[in-house]
Amino acid sequence: REDTIEINCHGRQLSLPSFAAEAVRFALGHGRFTVRDLPGELDDPGRLVLVRRLVREGLLRVCDRA
């Protein structure tokens, strides 16, 4: 579908809005980043929602700053 992106991981399928695609690619392609580093169309609250969802789904983990 044009309005969503699909992520298949851990035997599950996750659907997200297509406007989050750039931020998702960045998040899954970088070892470490801060929420504010996410590119794309999302505003700050939207970035937080996305990261929390990816953490909840087991695709990201929260690390201490080092």
Side-chain angles (χ1 to χ4, degrees):
R1 295 175 28 191
E2 288 183 27
D3 59 339
T4 62
I5 59 170
E6 305 291 329
I7 300 170
N8 295 300
C9 189
H10 304 298
R12 296 184 5 210
Q13 186 170 346
L14 174 64
S15 295
L16 296 166
S18 60
F19 60 81
E22 187 177 3
V24 170
R25 278 190 218 99
F26 181 91
L28 298 179
H30 285 76
R32 285 183 165 230
F33 64 92
T34 63
V35 174
R36 78 178 127 233
D37 294 336
L38 292 174
E41 302 178 33
L42 297 173
D43 58 8
D44 288 341
R47 287 181 180 103
L48 275 174
V49 167
L50 174 64
V51 168
R52 287 178 179 148
R53 174 90 187 267
L54 294 174
V55 168
R56 187 174 63 245
E57 297 291 342
L59 299 174
L60 295 179
R61 65 183 174 138
V62 177
C63 297
D64 291 332
R65 285 188 180 213

